[in-house]
């Protein structure tokens, strides 16, 4: 997540959805029974539920990103070899899973940057639900919470879509952005590259930037009430009361989409702001300390992750992707 820089806020624009569609209506299934071909009574098919995302798999991705940083000067920053190696790592997994991947180039600060876009080839071809995370770190360190955590959570959700052979009613697209730490450059370049029809087809963009903070809070982007409720109700069912994600306002890649009138949402575990006593009472952790004391620092490595928060928010990504694309 970019440090402190807030971009100008544009009006929400006209949302192409007035409200979140209800869970898909059940289909009536007729089953042939026995040699006589007797019919069973029609049954209501339950709506598909998202699978549990393996936190061990997410953590392995983070270990691999740490190793990539260590082999490339200690970081995964824009214009540095560690960033491109990180992108190649993610792309290889997606290609093997059957995604159509595209690497989009741009220039920032005199250096070439890259976005990775992955389209799931099955399901609907009209409205698109998109989930993304920035893949770059700052130059100070490996950027494992910021934002290896969101990148790995989105990656494992994409791989879960492939493992389930999901055929959603909407098109699914995933993205990993470059140069977010330079001012949301990669995501702005992507949005600016879209034609009018392509932009209109974007139903929802979900952003995940820092989902494993060691002194974790549980925040939800409340830019759109219907999308926010997908997260808040899911967390509430887990016994967790969320708060509005004010610290991300204008400071992560959803802002590029929001400015263009796209409906946005996401979840977040906190950056450099301080956890209050009320929040510590509600969520645990230490009051008076930052959610992530290693934010934008060299110590943002694999030791800088709360496994419980990482597990919870990775599952929240999958839940939102499954529900919003159905």
């Amino acid at each position: 997540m970019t440090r402190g820089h807030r971009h100008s806020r544009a009006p929400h624009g006209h949302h192409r959805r007035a409200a979140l569609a209800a869970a898909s209506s059940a289909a009536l299934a007729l089953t042939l029974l026995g040699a006589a071909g007797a019919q069973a009574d029609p049954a209501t098919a339950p709506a598909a539920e998202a699978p549990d995302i393996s936190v061990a798999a997410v953590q392995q991705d983070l270990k691999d990103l740490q190793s990539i940083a260590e082999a490339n000067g200690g970081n995964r920053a824009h214009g540095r070899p560690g960033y491109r190696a990180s992108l190649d790592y993610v792309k290889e997994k997606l290609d093997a899973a059957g995604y159509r991947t595209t690497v989009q180039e741009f220039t920032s600060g005199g250096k070439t940057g890259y976005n990775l876009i992955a389209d799931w080839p099955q399901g609907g071809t009209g409205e698109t639900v998109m989930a993304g995370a920035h893949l770059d770190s700052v130059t100070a360190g490996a950027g494992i919470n910021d934002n290896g955590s969101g990148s790995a959570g989105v990656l494992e959700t994409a791989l879960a879509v492939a493992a389930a052979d999901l055929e959603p009613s909407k098109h699914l697209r995933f993205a990993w952005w470059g140069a977010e730490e330079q001012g949301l450059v990669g995501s702005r370049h992507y949005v600016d590259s879209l034609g009018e029809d392509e932009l209109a087809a974007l139903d929802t963009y979900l952003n995940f930037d820092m989902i494993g903070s060691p002194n974790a809070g549980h925040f939800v982007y409340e830019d759109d009430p219907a999308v926010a409720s997908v997260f808040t109700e899911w967390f509430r069912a887990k016994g967790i009361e969320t708060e509005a994600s004010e610290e991300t306002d204008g400071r992560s890649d959803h802002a590029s989409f929001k400015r263009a009138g796209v409906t946005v949402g996401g979840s977040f575990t906190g950056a450099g702001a301080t956890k209050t006593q009320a929040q510590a009472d509600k969520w645990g952790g230490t009051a008076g300390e930052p959610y992530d004391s290693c934010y934008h620092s060299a110590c943002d490595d694999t030791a800088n992750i709360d496994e419980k928060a990482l597990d919870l928010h990775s599952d929240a990504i999958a839940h939102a992707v499954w529900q919003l694309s159905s």
Side-chain angles (χ1 to χ4, degrees):
M1 189 172 74
T2 56
R3 185 193 297 275
H5 181 65
R6 295 183 181 269
H7 297 264
S8 59
R9 301 183 67 179
H12 285 272
H14 176 68
H15 291 313
R16 285 167 294 280
R17 270 185 305 114
L20 177 67
S24 56
S25 57
L28 294 179
L30 296 177
T31 306
L32 295 177
L33 298 175
Q39 285 188 348
D41 291 334
T44 301
E49 292 187 2
D52 179 74
I53 300 299
S54 167
V55 71
V58 179
Q59 288 178 312
Q60 184 59 56
D61 291 332
L62 297 182
K63 291 175 184 176
D64 292 341
L65 291 174
Q66 176 77 42
S67 295
I68 287 170
E70 290 171 353
N72 290 280
N75 65 59
R76 302 179 303 98
H78 165 69
R80 306 295 180 91
Y83 178 76
R84 184 58 201 242
S86 299
L87 183 143
D88 290 341
Y89 168 83
V90 175
K91 184 178 185 298
E92 182 178 4
K93 287 179 174 285
L94 294 165
D95 288 340
Y99 278 85
R100 297 193 302 260
T101 59
T102 303
V103 176
Q104 183 185 50
E105 293 189 11
F106 59 88
T107 301
S108 179
K111 299 176 180 178
T112 302
Y114 306 94
N115 295 324
L116 175 62
I117 312 298
D119 285 282
W120 179 236
Q122 298 180 187
T125 58
E127 291 181 309
T128 296
V129 171
M130 192 170 185
H134 77 85
L135 187 56
D136 62 315
S137 72
V138 293
T139 56
I144 297 304
N145 187 37
D146 184 17
N147 182 38
S149 62
S151 293
V154 172
L155 172 59
E156 292 303 324
T157 295
L159 296 178
V161 166
D165 205 25
L166 191 65
E167 294 191 11
S169 60
K170 297 178 182 177
H171 179 63
L172 275 176
R173 180 176 298 151
F174 298 90
W176 291 262
W177 308 117
E180 187 269 359
E181 299 291 2
Q182 311 301 310
L184 320 184
V185 178
S187 58
R188 280 195 289 110
H189 176 80
Y190 173 78
V191 172
D192 290 345
S193 75
L194 296 177
E196 186 175 338
D197 290 345
E198 293 173 303
L199 189 61
L202 286 180
D203 178 78
T204 307
Y205 171 73
L206 302 174
N207 195 64
F208 301 95
D209 188 351
M210 302 179 69
I211 62 167
S213 303
N215 192 28
H218 300 292
F219 301 98
V220 167
Y221 297 15
E222 294 192 349
D223 303 84
D224 181 87
V227 175
S229 70
V230 172
F231 290 96
T232 57
E233 292 174 9
W234 184 85
F235 278 103
R236 188 172 296 118
K238 305 287 184 183
I240 296 170
E241 292 297 321
T242 58
E243 294 183 8
S245 181
E246 297 178 357
E247 197 179 4
T248 56
D249 185 21
R251 294 176 56 192
S252 194
D253 293 296
H254 63 292
S256 299
F257 290 83
K258 183 176 177 179
R259 279 197 303 271
V262 177
T263 300
V264 299
S267 71
F268 173 62
T269 56
T274 300
K275 178 175 278 188
T276 67
Q277 185 61 59
Q279 290 171 332
D281 292 343
K282 179 166 57 177
W283 295 327
T286 305
E289 296 292 333
Y291 304 111
D292 183 354
S293 60
C294 288
Y295 175 53
H296 283 187
S297 300
C299 57
D300 186 9
D301 55 22
T302 52
N304 189 47
I305 292 289
D306 180 85
E307 180 180 319
K308 184 177 179 181
L310 184 70
D311 189 13
L312 187 70
H313 285 257
S314 295
D315 289 340
I317 297 172
H319 168 74
V321 165
W322 252 254
Q323 183 161 337
L324 288 166
S325 67
S326 66

